[in-house]
Amino acid sequence: MDAEIQGFCDALETLDRARADAIFDEAISKAALEGRSPIDVVTALIMPALSEIGRGWHEGALALSQVYMSGRICEQLVEQVLPPSDPDRKRQPRSAIVVLHDHHMLGKRIVYAMMRASGFELFDYGRMELPELVERVIADRLRVLMVSALMLPSALKVRALRDALDARGYPLKIIVGGAPFLMDNALWREVGADAMGRDAAEAVTIITGWMEAAR
Amino acid sequence: MDSMTRTLTTLGHRAPDRVPLFLLTNLQGPKALGLTPKAHFADARNVIESQIRLAARYQSDCLFPFSYASLEIEAWGGESIFIDDGPPNAGAPIIQRPEDILRLTPPSIDAARCLHPSLEAIAALKAHFGASIPIIGTIVSPFSLPAMQMGMGAYLDLIYERPDLWARLMEINEVFGVAWANAQLQAGATAICYFDPVSSPTMLPPALYRQTGHVVARRVLPQIKGPTATHFASGLALPVLDEVIATGTAALGVSALEDLGALKAAARGRLSLLGALNGVEMRRWTPAEAEAAVKANIAALAPGGGFILSDNHGEIPWQVEDETLLAISEAARRWGQYPLTWVDDERG
């Protein structure tokens, strides 16, 4: 791994905010001198670092609290250089994240921070029940919906979401994530999702892959 | 050998007649009586009747009158939000801002009427079964309770950014946790399951656990007047196994995602293991798949004793079919007889 990315990862994992700030600021300054935009730094530094941290959690080397705090730090860094209205954020499919039927918000908060820290703009729907969610998805003309679940009954509700959208003839890419899907690798297909993110960074990878495939 | 003797033998790291089976069927109770979880757990008589029925049906080696985790939040003045096909969730956080901790006081067990049906159920089951079968009481650890008191994200912020208020919250929670555990033991519970998912390395780095959840457990467990089993509710444990052992707990709930061979090797003769059937996958198991899973768990964890077969989360999901639980029970009897010669035979 690139020494700069490794150093940034180390700073995030140890919650060394000052060091993370310094590495990021230096990368932004260097990019400006070379005529590159802040989104290039997000792509070259933050996204690979968060991906590495996500992989570390999935492999058991890091804890969820480190993923959460890393996402928070990076989200704040990106907000400083890439405001919500920045044109660089506009190339993405209309996306949202939601907690369906569940009451556990941490997973959503982590993924939302990861997406924002990776330069994505997306709706945060908070917590919703099925009928309200279907109407909101259609009204917002979403293309991608991320559903975070901690409880098994909530994970199983994704099936009803898919069926309701199919009944309305509305095409939507659904990415699911959370403990029930990690415990049962077959569950995401069973509920009709298009993909499962094993960690927050994978959601970014999956959507980026879909964007590239659509070009 | 009765269930109590079987369990105590394996906790002594010796081989009993067969592997004890702890089917943690609290969510099967409402189904057995045709009730919603809310109606079922509101009345101790329902819990008593369902536990007696389920004990006979599945031949489990323990009784599990646990209702749901957010019951403790109700004792603190919060609420539970019920659903009809699973455990309730805790409602709005009782700690909205970190400073709210400063005006929090621990509820007394006598005053917290929502806890009383659980105590009544434990006492009635003890009267019915005597000392022939362990009755498992439960508490959410004082360290993990804030995940429901304030929400997990806010709790992580508190741990990292407000250690002063975190310490104050632990003082308050520990008073309640110890009292709630001892009330259950006094009512007739044999042991206390100490649910502590936030302490798992899945949630916190081991170094931070050593400064937080571990310190709390070392203060709390010695004050509980009976044996305890620590449960990380599907979280990993191996990186902190030595610290878990140092808390004085008798057993540890094991995740299906853990390296079972490595965990058994590290725990052998030091800490009994409880698990590690995958409760989420269990929902779609055929009887043959249930049998295969039971065999795999016994082969990995049962040799030499120190093992209780159970699910890996501390609660079997509502969606698991009766047929599957019967298949698990039958397979535990068939393949759990000591000596486990078939394990050696299959390893060649």
mmCIF file with all atom_site columns, all heavy atoms in Angstrom, chain A residues 28-43:
data_model
loop_
_atom_site.group_PDB
_atom_site.id
_atom_site.type_symbol
_atom_site.label_atom_id
_atom_site.label_alt_id
_atom_site.label_comp_id
_atom_site.label_asym_id
_atom_site.label_entity_id
_atom_site.label_seq_id
_atom_site.pdbx_PDB_ins_code
_atom_site.Cartn_x
_atom_site.Cartn_y
_atom_site.Cartn_z
_atom_site.occupancy
_atom_site.B_iso_or_equiv
_atom_site.pdbx_formal_charge
_atom_site.auth_seq_id
_atom_site.auth_comp_id
_atom_site.auth_asym_id
_atom_site.auth_atom_id
_atom_site.pdbx_PDB_model_num
ATOM 1   N N   . ILE A 1 28 ? -4.154  17.807 -0.241  1.00 0.00 ? 28 ILE A N   1
ATOM 2   C CA  . ILE A 1 28 ? -4.966  18.822 -0.925  1.00 0.00 ? 28 ILE A CA  1
ATOM 3   C C   . ILE A 1 28 ? -4.057  19.906 -1.529  1.00 0.00 ? 28 ILE A C   1
ATOM 4   O O   . ILE A 1 28 ? -4.247  20.325 -2.685  1.00 0.00 ? 28 ILE A O   1
ATOM 5   C CB  . ILE A 1 28 ? -5.974  19.459 0.064   1.00 0.00 ? 28 ILE A CB  1
ATOM 6   C CG1 . ILE A 1 28 ? -7.072  18.458 0.423   1.00 0.00 ? 28 ILE A CG1 1
ATOM 7   C CG2 . ILE A 1 28 ? -6.550  20.761 -0.479  1.00 0.00 ? 28 ILE A CG2 1
ATOM 8   C CD1 . ILE A 1 28 ? -8.076  18.211 -0.682  1.00 0.00 ? 28 ILE A CD1 1
ATOM 9   N N   . SER A 1 29 ? -3.060  20.342 -0.750  1.00 0.00 ? 29 SER A N   1
ATOM 10  C CA  . SER A 1 29 ? -2.134  21.379 -1.242  1.00 0.00 ? 29 SER A CA  1
ATOM 11  C C   . SER A 1 29 ? -1.373  20.878 -2.465  1.00 0.00 ? 29 SER A C   1
ATOM 12  O O   . SER A 1 29 ? -1.226  21.592 -3.467  1.00 0.00 ? 29 SER A O   1
ATOM 13  C CB  . SER A 1 29 ? -1.138  21.760 -0.141  1.00 0.00 ? 29 SER A CB  1
ATOM 14  O OG  . SER A 1 29 ? -1.817  22.231 0.983   1.00 0.00 ? 29 SER A OG  1
ATOM 15  N N   . LYS A 1 30 ? -0.912  19.648 -2.379  1.00 0.00 ? 30 LYS A N   1
ATOM 16  C CA  . LYS A 1 30 ? -0.147  19.073 -3.488  1.00 0.00 ? 30 LYS A CA  1
ATOM 17  C C   . LYS A 1 30 ? -1.022  18.966 -4.742  1.00 0.00 ? 30 LYS A C   1
ATOM 18  O O   . LYS A 1 30 ? -0.590  19.271 -5.850  1.00 0.00 ? 30 LYS A O   1
ATOM 19  C CB  . LYS A 1 30 ? 0.359   17.678 -3.064  1.00 0.00 ? 30 LYS A CB  1
ATOM 20  C CG  . LYS A 1 30 ? 1.349   17.054 -3.999  1.00 0.00 ? 30 LYS A CG  1
ATOM 21  C CD  . LYS A 1 30 ? 1.860   15.735 -3.410  1.00 0.00 ? 30 LYS A CD  1
ATOM 22  C CE  . LYS A 1 30 ? 2.569   14.928 -4.479  1.00 0.00 ? 30 LYS A CE  1
ATOM 23  N NZ  . LYS A 1 30 ? 2.747   13.533 -4.080  1.00 0.00 ? 30 LYS A NZ  1
ATOM 24  N N   . ALA A 1 31 ? -2.259  18.551 -4.538  1.00 0.00 ? 31 ALA A N   1
ATOM 25  C CA  . ALA A 1 31 ? -3.186  18.410 -5.672  1.00 0.00 ? 31 ALA A CA  1
ATOM 26  C C   . ALA A 1 31 ? -3.436  19.764 -6.326  1.00 0.00 ? 31 ALA A C   1
ATOM 27  O O   . ALA A 1 31 ? -3.470  19.875 -7.564  1.00 0.00 ? 31 ALA A O   1
ATOM 28  C CB  . ALA A 1 31 ? -4.494  17.800 -5.193  1.00 0.00 ? 31 ALA A CB  1
ATOM 29  N N   . ALA A 1 32 ? -3.579  20.807 -5.502  1.00 0.00 ? 32 ALA A N   1
ATOM 30  C CA  . ALA A 1 32 ? -3.837  22.150 -6.042  1.00 0.00 ? 32 ALA A CA  1
ATOM 31  C C   . ALA A 1 32 ? -2.670  22.603 -6.910  1.00 0.00 ? 32 ALA A C   1
ATOM 32  O O   . ALA A 1 32 ? -2.864  23.180 -7.993  1.00 0.00 ? 32 ALA A O   1
ATOM 33  C CB  . ALA A 1 32 ? -4.075  23.131 -4.898  1.00 0.00 ? 32 ALA A CB  1
ATOM 34  N N   . LEU A 1 33 ? -1.444  22.348 -6.441  1.00 0.00 ? 33 LEU A N   1
ATOM 35  C CA  . LEU A 1 33 ? -0.254  22.721 -7.215  1.00 0.00 ? 33 LEU A CA  1
ATOM 36  C C   . LEU A 1 33 ? -0.204  21.979 -8.546  1.00 0.00 ? 33 LEU A C   1
ATOM 37  O O   . LEU A 1 33 ? 0.301   22.491 -9.544  1.00 0.00 ? 33 LEU A O   1
ATOM 38  C CB  . LEU A 1 33 ? 1.007   22.412 -6.406  1.00 0.00 ? 33 LEU A CB  1
ATOM 39  C CG  . LEU A 1 33 ? 1.289   23.344 -5.218  1.00 0.00 ? 33 LEU A CG  1
ATOM 40  C CD1 . LEU A 1 33 ? 2.475   22.828 -4.413  1.00 0.00 ? 33 LEU A CD1 1
ATOM 41  C CD2 . LEU A 1 33 ? 1.572   24.762 -5.727  1.00 0.00 ? 33 LEU A CD2 1
ATOM 42  N N   . GLU A 1 34 ? -0.728  20.766 -8.554  1.00 0.00 ? 34 GLU A N   1
ATOM 43  C CA  . GLU A 1 34 ? -0.670  19.947 -9.772  1.00 0.00 ? 34 GLU A CA  1
ATOM 44  C C   . GLU A 1 34 ? -1.918  20.117 -10.634 1.00 0.00 ? 34 GLU A C   1
ATOM 45  O O   . GLU A 1 34 ? -2.102  19.395 -11.622 1.00 0.00 ? 34 GLU A O   1
ATOM 46  C CB  . GLU A 1 34 ? -0.492  18.472 -9.385  1.00 0.00 ? 34 GLU A CB  1
ATOM 47  C CG  . GLU A 1 34 ? 0.847   18.186 -8.720  1.00 0.00 ? 34 GLU A CG  1
ATOM 48  C CD  . GLU A 1 34 ? 0.922   16.789 -8.112  1.00 0.00 ? 34 GLU A CD  1
ATOM 49  O OE1 . GLU A 1 34 ? -0.117  16.072 -8.127  1.00 0.00 ? 34 GLU A OE1 1
ATOM 50  O OE2 . GLU A 1 34 ? 1.998   16.423 -7.606  1.00 0.00 ? 34 GLU A OE2 1
ATOM 51  N N   . GLY A 1 35 ? -2.808  21.022 -10.228 1.00 0.00 ? 35 GLY A N   1
ATOM 52  C CA  . GLY A 1 35 ? -4.006  21.285 -11.018 1.00 0.00 ? 35 GLY A CA  1
ATOM 53  C C   . GLY A 1 35 ? -5.088  20.238 -10.875 1.00 0.00 ? 35 GLY A C   1
ATOM 54  O O   . GLY A 1 35 ? -5.972  20.117 -11.733 1.00 0.00 ? 35 GLY A O   1
ATOM 55  N N   . ARG A 1 36 ? -5.020  19.449 -9.796  1.00 0.00 ? 36 ARG A N   1
ATOM 56  C CA  . ARG A 1 36 ? -6.060  18.429 -9.562  1.00 0.00 ? 36 ARG A CA  1
ATOM 57  C C   . ARG A 1 36 ? -7.063  18.965 -8.540  1.00 0.00 ? 36 ARG A C   1
ATOM 58  O O   . ARG A 1 36 ? -6.754  19.851 -7.742  1.00 0.00 ? 36 ARG A O   1
ATOM 59  C CB  . ARG A 1 36 ? -5.439  17.130 -9.057  1.00 0.00 ? 36 ARG A CB  1
ATOM 60  C CG  . ARG A 1 36 ? -4.577  16.431 -10.103 1.00 0.00 ? 36 ARG A CG  1
ATOM 61  C CD  . ARG A 1 36 ? -4.019  15.098 -9.629  1.00 0.00 ? 36 ARG A CD  1
ATOM 62  N NE  . ARG A 1 36 ? -2.988  15.297 -8.601  1.00 0.00 ? 36 ARG A NE  1
ATOM 63  C CZ  . ARG A 1 36 ? -3.085  14.828 -7.365  1.00 0.00 ? 36 ARG A CZ  1
ATOM 64  N NH1 . ARG A 1 36 ? -4.173  14.171 -6.989  1.00 0.00 ? 36 ARG A NH1 1
ATOM 65  N NH2 . ARG A 1 36 ? -2.124  15.037 -6.492  1.00 0.00 ? 36 ARG A NH2 1
ATOM 66  N N   . SER A 1 37 ? -8.260  18.401 -8.549  1.00 0.00 ? 37 SER A N   1
ATOM 67  C CA  . SER A 1 37 ? -9.329  18.907 -7.680  1.00 0.00 ? 37 SER A CA  1
ATOM 68  C C   . SER A 1 37 ? -9.380  18.100 -6.375  1.00 0.00 ? 37 SER A C   1
ATOM 69  O O   . SER A 1 37 ? -8.808  16.999 -6.279  1.00 0.00 ? 37 SER A O   1
ATOM 70  C CB  . SER A 1 37 ? -10.678 18.800 -8.389  1.00 0.00 ? 37 SER A CB  1
ATOM 71  O OG  . SER A 1 37 ? -11.104 17.471 -8.402  1.00 0.00 ? 37 SER A OG  1
ATOM 72  N N   . PRO A 1 38 ? -10.070 18.635 -5.366  1.00 0.00 ? 38 PRO A N   1
ATOM 73  C CA  . PRO A 1 38 ? -10.190 17.902 -4.103  1.00 0.00 ? 38 PRO A CA  1
ATOM 74  C C   . PRO A 1 38 ? -10.806 16.507 -4.258  1.00 0.00 ? 38 PRO A C   1
ATOM 75  O O   . PRO A 1 38 ? -10.451 15.585 -3.532  1.00 0.00 ? 38 PRO A O   1
ATOM 76  C CB  . PRO A 1 38 ? -11.113 18.802 -3.270  1.00 0.00 ? 38 PRO A CB  1
ATOM 77  C CG  . PRO A 1 38 ? -10.859 20.175 -3.795  1.00 0.00 ? 38 PRO A CG  1
ATOM 78  C CD  . PRO A 1 38 ? -10.623 19.997 -5.257  1.00 0.00 ? 38 PRO A CD  1
ATOM 79  N N   . ILE A 1 39 ? -11.702 16.340 -5.239  1.00 0.00 ? 39 ILE A N   1
ATOM 80  C CA  . ILE A 1 39 ? -12.323 15.019 -5.406  1.00 0.00 ? 39 ILE A CA  1
ATOM 81  C C   . ILE A 1 39 ? -11.267 13.979 -5.782  1.00 0.00 ? 39 ILE A C   1
ATOM 82  O O   . ILE A 1 39 ? -11.392 12.792 -5.456  1.00 0.00 ? 39 ILE A O   1
ATOM 83  C CB  . ILE A 1 39 ? -13.467 15.056 -6.453  1.00 0.00 ? 39 ILE A CB  1
ATOM 84  C CG1 . ILE A 1 39 ? -14.325 13.774 -6.400  1.00 0.00 ? 39 ILE A CG1 1
ATOM 85  C CG2 . ILE A 1 39 ? -12.922 15.234 -7.863  1.00 0.00 ? 39 ILE A CG2 1
ATOM 86  C CD1 . ILE A 1 39 ? -15.170 13.633 -5.204  1.00 0.00 ? 39 ILE A CD1 1
ATOM 87  N N   . ASP A 1 40 ? -10.187 14.441 -6.443  1.00 0.00 ? 40 ASP A N   1
ATOM 88  C CA  . ASP A 1 40 ? -9.104  13.501 -6.766  1.00 0.00 ? 40 ASP A CA  1
ATOM 89  C C   . ASP A 1 40 ? -8.413  13.002 -5.492  1.00 0.00 ? 40 ASP A C   1
ATOM 90  O O   . ASP A 1 40 ? -7.991  11.845 -5.416  1.00 0.00 ? 40 ASP A O   1
ATOM 91  C CB  . ASP A 1 40 ? -8.068  14.169 -7.674  1.00 0.00 ? 40 ASP A CB  1
ATOM 92  C CG  . ASP A 1 40 ? -8.640  14.479 -9.050  1.00 0.00 ? 40 ASP A CG  1
ATOM 93  O OD1 . ASP A 1 40 ? -9.477  13.684 -9.521  1.00 0.00 ? 40 ASP A OD1 1
ATOM 94  O OD2 . ASP A 1 40 ? -8.271  15.527 -9.622  1.00 0.00 ? 40 ASP A OD2 1
ATOM 95  N N   . VAL A 1 41 ? -8.302  13.881 -4.507  1.00 0.00 ? 41 VAL A N   1
ATOM 96  C CA  . VAL A 1 41 ? -7.699  13.466 -3.229  1.00 0.00 ? 41 VAL A CA  1
ATOM 97  C C   . VAL A 1 41 ? -8.633  12.496 -2.497  1.00 0.00 ? 41 VAL A C   1
ATOM 98  O O   . VAL A 1 41 ? -8.199  11.512 -1.899  1.00 0.00 ? 41 VAL A O   1
ATOM 99  C CB  . VAL A 1 41 ? -7.407  14.697 -2.340  1.00 0.00 ? 41 VAL A CB  1
ATOM 100 C CG1 . VAL A 1 41 ? -6.866  14.271 -0.974  1.00 0.00 ? 41 VAL A CG1 1
ATOM 101 C CG2 . VAL A 1 41 ? -6.418  15.620 -3.035  1.00 0.00 ? 41 VAL A CG2 1
ATOM 102 N N   . VAL A 1 42 ? -9.931  12.782 -2.586  1.00 0.00 ? 42 VAL A N   1
ATOM 103 C CA  . VAL A 1 42 ? -10.903 11.869 -1.981  1.00 0.00 ? 42 VAL A CA  1
ATOM 104 C C   . VAL A 1 42 ? -10.758 10.484 -2.598  1.00 0.00 ? 42 VAL A C   1
ATOM 105 O O   . VAL A 1 42 ? -10.724 9.460  -1.905  1.00 0.00 ? 42 VAL A O   1
ATOM 106 C CB  . VAL A 1 42 ? -12.345 12.408 -2.176  1.00 0.00 ? 42 VAL A CB  1
ATOM 107 C CG1 . VAL A 1 42 ? -13.370 11.376 -1.760  1.00 0.00 ? 42 VAL A CG1 1
ATOM 108 C CG2 . VAL A 1 42 ? -12.533 13.698 -1.372  1.00 0.00 ? 42 VAL A CG2 1
ATOM 109 N N   . THR A 1 43 ? -10.641 10.464 -3.930  1.00 0.00 ? 43 THR A N   1
ATOM 110 C CA  . THR A 1 43 ? -10.555 9.184  -4.639  1.00 0.00 ? 43 THR A CA  1
ATOM 111 C C   . THR A 1 43 ? -9.238  8.468  -4.359  1.00 0.00 ? 43 THR A C   1
ATOM 112 O O   . THR A 1 43 ? -9.214  7.247  -4.188  1.00 0.00 ? 43 THR A O   1
ATOM 113 C CB  . THR A 1 43 ? -10.709 9.424  -6.165  1.00 0.00 ? 43 THR A CB  1
ATOM 114 O OG1 . THR A 1 43 ? -11.931 10.119 -6.381  1.00 0.00 ? 43 THR A OG1 1
ATOM 115 C CG2 . THR A 1 43 ? -10.731 8.109  -6.915  1.00 0.00 ? 43 THR A CG2 1
#
